[in-house]
Amino acid sequence: MTTITGETQLVGVIGYPVKHSLSPQMHNAAFEALGLNWRYVPLAVRPDRLPEAVRGLAAAGFRGVNLTVPHKVDVLPLLDSITDVARLIDAANTISFEAETGALHGTNTDLDGFMRDLDANGVPITHESKVILLGAGGAARAISVGLLQAGAEVVIVNRSVDRAAELVALLHHNLHGVKVQAVAQDQLARVSEGAALIVNATPLGMWPHVDASSWAEDVPFPAGAVVYDTVYRPARTKLLRDADAAGLRAIGGIGMLVRQGAAAFELWTDHGAPVDVMMAACLKALRE
Ligand code: NAP
C-alpha cells in the first residue's frame, strides 16, 4: 500500500454506528490495486453532529464521503446540489466535495448498485417484468425507482402497509405512468402469481437472526422467479436457502454493496473501479 503523504487523498463513510461497515476494506483494496494514493476511513458521527462533521471534512480537504444509517436523508439540506437520482429517492449515500469552492454535491449510488448487479447476474428487467418488493424503507425506495425506471411492474409488500402506501404515492408523484401498488403482507399469495423477481429489502434474515425470512412460510414461491436478498451477512440467508430448496435462482446482496461502492469510487477518482478486487475484499472481511 502507498505511504500516506501530503498528496494522500481522503474519503470515508459517515454512519452511527459505523464499525461494521465493509466499505473501508472494499475501497482501500481498490486504491491499493490501482496504486492510488488514497485512503478510506470509517467515521462515527452522532446524528446531532452531522452538519459540523460534513462541513469540517470538506474544509479539511476530504474528496468525498459515503453516508450510511442514519444519515442518508438528514444530509440532504446540507448539500449545495443533488442529482436527479438522489432527488427521486429523497436520500443521498455519496457526497463529492469540490476542491476549489468547497461545494457539496450529493448523489445516490444504491439504485445504480442494485441495477448494475441485476445486470451482472443476467437478470433482465423489461416492461413484462413483475417484481415483488418486500420492504418500504430506504433500500426499497432506491430499488423501486430503479425497477420502475426500467419499466417493471412493482408490488410493494410491507409490514406497515401505510408506509408502503406513502412510498407508492411518492413514486407516482415523482415518476409518471409507472405501475406500482402497495399491498398488505396477508395479500402476498394473491399478488405474487406471475412474479419474475422477488427482492427482500428488509433486514429480516440478517445476522444474528439468521432463521428469519420476509417470505411467508405458507406462501409458495412463484414458479421460475429469481429471488434477490439485499441482506449479505450471512451470504446465504434463510430466504435464499428456501429459494434454493424450491429450485429457484437465489442471489445475495453483496454484489449490490460492491457495485454501489464501485459507482462512488468512479465518481471520486475518475478511474474504473476494480469490481473483482472490491468483491474479494468484502468476502474476506465477511469471513473474518
Ligand atoms: P429501513 O429504512 O429501516 O427499512 C426497513 C424495512 O424493513 C421497512 O420496510 C420495515 O418495515 C421492514 N422491517 C424491519 N423489521 C421488520 C420485521 N421484523 N418484520 C417485517 N418487516 C420489517 O432500512 P433500509 O435502509 O431500507 O435497509 C433494509 C435492509 O436492506 C438492511 O438491513 C440491509 O440488510 C439491506 N441493504 C442492503 C444494501 C446492499 O448494498 N446490499 C444496501 C442497503 C440496504 P416497517 O415499515 O413496517 O417498519
Side-chain angles (χ1 to χ4, degrees):
M1 184 166 274
T2 55
T3 309
I4 292 180
T5 65
E7 305 284 306
T8 304
Q9 305 295 311
L10 293 172
V11 286
V13 55
I14 300 180
Y16 198 76
V18 79
K19 66 179 177 204
H20 295 301
S21 173
L22 300 180
S23 294
Q25 290 97 318
M26 171 167 75
H27 283 276
N28 287 320
F31 295 145
E32 188 176 3
L34 298 193
L36 297 176
N37 189 2
W38 287 59
R39 288 293 196 284
Y40 186 109
V41 288
L43 301 157
V45 174
R46 282 203 331 248
D48 60 312
R49 307 204 70 176
L50 182 66
E52 57 183 312
V54 168
R55 293 192 190 106
L57 292 171
F62 267 59
R63 299 293 298 274
V65 281
N66 286 133
L67 287 310
T68 186
V69 177
H71 301 310
K72 289 184 187 185
V73 174
D74 293 344
V75 78
L76 292 175
L78 307 173
L79 303 177
D80 296 297
S81 72
I82 59 170
T83 58
D84 288 346
V85 170
R87 187 170 295 111
L88 282 173
I89 299 170
D90 204 22
N93 77 335
T94 304
I95 312 178
S96 304
F97 300 132
E98 208 173 286
E100 300 287 301
T101 63
L104 314 178
H105 303 296
T107 189
N108 195 309
T109 64
D110 282 337
L111 181 160
D112 214 20
F114 176 72
M115 297 306 290
R116 282 194 202 190
D117 198 45
L118 282 188
D119 193 43
N121 279 288
V123 179
I125 297 296
T126 69
H127 287 79
E128 310 294 312
S129 311
K130 177 177 176 182
V131 182
I132 303 293
L133 177 56
L134 304 161
R141 197 181 277 218
I143 288 167
S144 58
V145 171
L147 291 168
L148 291 168
Q149 284 182 325
E153 173 192 352
V154 178
V155 181
I156 300 177
V157 181
N158 196 45
R159 175 177 60 180
S160 7
V161 73
D162 288 355
R163 193 169 180 201
E166 275 170 33
L167 175 53
V168 166
L170 179 92
L171 293 165
H172 277 303
H173 181 264
N174 287 349
L175 301 164
H176 297 291
V178 289
K179 293 172 286 182
V180 57
Q181 57 171 310
V183 302
Q185 279 179 323
D186 60 6
Q187 299 297 306
L188 185 60
R190 181 180 63 81
V191 295
S192 62
E193 203 174 309
L197 176 66
I198 295 162
V199 181
N200 173 46
T202 79
L204 287 169
M206 190 160 70
W207 189 89
H209 306 292
V210 296
D211 290 325
S213 168
S214 55
W215 190 263
E217 292 263 319
D218 55 346
V219 177
F221 287 114
V226 174
V227 177
Y228 190 106
D229 199 339
T230 63
V231 173
Y232 50 81
R233 201 191 295 256
R236 299 311 281 174
T237 57
K238 173 164 167 41
L239 174 66
L240 297 182
R241 296 193 308 271
D242 289 348
D244 278 335
L248 301 184
R249 179 128 185 260
I251 304 168
I254 194 76
M256 175 179 174
L257 177 82
V258 168
R259 290 175 201 285
Q260 65 74 31
F265 181 98
E266 289 171 0
L267 191 70
W268 292 325
T269 67
D270 266 336
H271 287 267
V275 172
D276 293 348
V277 170
M278 296 168 88
M279 175 69 82
C282 285
L283 294 174
K284 178 167 180 277
L286 282 174
R287 278 196 304 274
E288 288 163 359

